[in-house]
Amino acid sequence: MSENILQNIIKKKEIRIAELKKKKPLESIPIHPPDSMNYMNFKEAIENNIKGNNFSIIAEIKKASPSAGILVENYKPVDIAKIYYMNGATCLSVLTEEEFFLGNLSHIYKIKSLSNPMEPPSLDNMHIPILCKDFFIDKFQVKLSKSYGADAILIILAGVNEKIADELYQEAINQKMSVIVEVHTVDEAKKSLKYHDALIGINNRNLKTLETNINTTYDIHDVLVNHNGPLISESGIKSKEDVLKIRNSTKIKTFLIGESILKNLDNNNIFSIL
């Protein structure tokens, strides 16, 4: 994402959130959303895999992106979620940004509505944690995303100042949600270490050129190696070989993958690592 695109997304998000807050003030959002949402511990699901020396794939669901355009023409988030679940994904990442990614919070709700903790897991009753993948700039969004069934939020350090990042993080902790703090430079990685209970995602996409380079994970990993929580390699991961290469070089076992599996939903070898 170029700086101009990032700035445009944030600017549009500020307008959208301001309008939404007028229609749906924070106090109107339920503190305890419906029990049917079956909230799950996103971070714990990944930590359990790490303890068992297993890989985790956070499989991303999105219709489009500024870098790739339309990814899925006949976009059915629930159907994609079922494919990921059937293939053993540890968690889901659902893009909810409306204008640039053509997402919506209702997509999380539709997926989560299929989850009933009182019934055994199946394709029609998926027990899987969900990340709300969006551009969080206001703590209002945290509670709002939980009301739609999200188990975790994303904080992109390149998109907010430290004060807002702190507010978002604390609100998520207050809401008993997991947090992924996303970094793409060494400087951001150093700043992220203060968020002790967060997962830290290393974004291999250069936010200025839109290019992806897996070496970003290697360059930043050493700064984060002593972080208490799981580390995630994000973007630019195209194959099982890429996953194994990163694991062998960094010991990272958690990967957020979207475009490469969305473009080849029916025949993808990445899930074979699970």
Side-chain angles (χ1 to χ4, degrees):
M1 219 176 306
S2 71
E3 286 185 328
N4 286 338
I5 292 177
L6 179 60
Q7 290 168 3
N8 286 339
I9 293 174
I10 297 297
K11 189 180 298 183
K12 293 289 180 66
K13 181 61 68 174
E14 288 171 346
I15 295 170
R16 186 178 291 273
I17 293 303
E19 292 174 348
L20 189 56
K21 287 170 76 172
K22 291 177 183 177
K23 298 176 184 176
K24 190 178 181 118
L26 187 63
E27 56 269 20
S28 73
I29 302 173
I31 297 175
H32 301 292
D35 292 339
S36 62
M37 290 296 95
N38 185 22
Y39 290 98
M40 301 181 68
N41 193 318
F42 186 99
K43 179 183 176 184
E44 187 178 76
I46 291 170
E47 287 179 327
N48 286 341
N49 276 348
I50 292 173
K51 290 174 185 175
N53 199 31
N54 297 316
F55 287 98
S56 295
I57 289 181
I58 304 168
E60 190 149 275
I61 299 173
K62 60 183 175 184
K63 181 172 184 177
S65 75
S67 60
I70 299 294
L71 291 163
V72 183
E73 289 286 351
N74 187 21
Y75 185 63
K76 297 180 180 178
V78 172
D79 289 349
I80 296 172
K82 287 182 177 181
I83 292 172
Y84 289 166
Y85 187 75
M86 180 176 61
N87 280 281
T90 306
C91 303
L92 302 178
S93 168
V94 180
L95 241 303
T96 59
E97 194 281 328
E98 300 87 350
E99 187 162 341
F100 295 83
F101 293 84
L102 306 182
N104 196 286
L105 279 168
S106 66
H107 299 161
I108 292 179
Y109 184 85
K110 289 175 181 177
I111 296 168
K112 219 42 180 314
S113 293
L114 296 180
S115 180
N116 182 348
M118 304 305 293
E119 299 292 336
S122 68
L123 282 182
D124 294 316
N125 186 31
M126 295 181 287
H127 296 183
I128 188 167
I130 299 179
L131 165 71
C132 179
K133 185 83 173 287
D134 209 323
F135 295 81
F136 282 80
I137 58 169
D138 188 310
K139 66 180 184 179
F140 167 86
Q141 294 169 272
V142 179
K143 193 175 180 184
L144 182 66
S145 67
K146 182 168 185 178
S147 75
Y148 279 83
D151 302 291
I153 67 157
L154 179 75
I155 301 174
I156 303 172
L157 290 191
V160 294
N161 61 38
E162 186 175 1
K163 179 177 181 294
I164 293 175
D166 289 351
E167 290 177 355
L168 293 169
Y169 175 76
Q170 191 55 55
E171 180 65 18
I173 297 301
N174 291 345
Q175 294 292 332
K176 294 180 171 54
M177 301 176 76
S178 298
V179 181
I180 296 179
V181 174
E182 183 177 283
V183 303
H184 79 289
T185 66
V186 169
D187 185 53
E188 289 173 4
K190 291 177 180 177
K191 292 177 180 177
S192 73
L193 291 171
K194 66 185 284 189
Y195 303 107
H196 300 291
D197 290 324
L199 305 92
I200 298 180
I202 303 172
N203 192 346
N204 295 311
R205 188 178 300 280
N206 185 309
L207 300 187
K208 296 181 179 180
T209 66
L210 292 177
E211 295 177 353
T212 55
N213 188 338
I214 288 178
N215 287 331
T216 303
T217 290
Y218 308 141
D219 295 341
I220 294 177
H221 172 261
D222 289 346
V223 177
L224 301 172
V225 70
N226 292 321
H227 177 64
N228 290 330
L231 303 181
I232 306 166
S233 184
E234 308 173 359
S235 302
I237 300 163
K238 296 180 171 60
S239 66
K240 175 182 177 180
E241 289 68 34
D242 286 343
V243 169
L244 294 175
K245 182 179 178 184
I246 293 171
R247 190 280 309 272
N248 292 337
S249 299
T250 66
K251 307 302 182 187
I252 290 174
K253 293 186 176 67
T254 307
F255 303 87
L256 194 154
I257 307 173
E259 292 180 15
S260 61
I261 48 179
L262 279 169
K263 291 177 178 178
N264 192 18
L265 279 170
D266 296 324
N267 184 25
N268 197 292
N269 77 339
I270 291 179
F271 285 112
S272 66
I273 65 170
L274 299 175

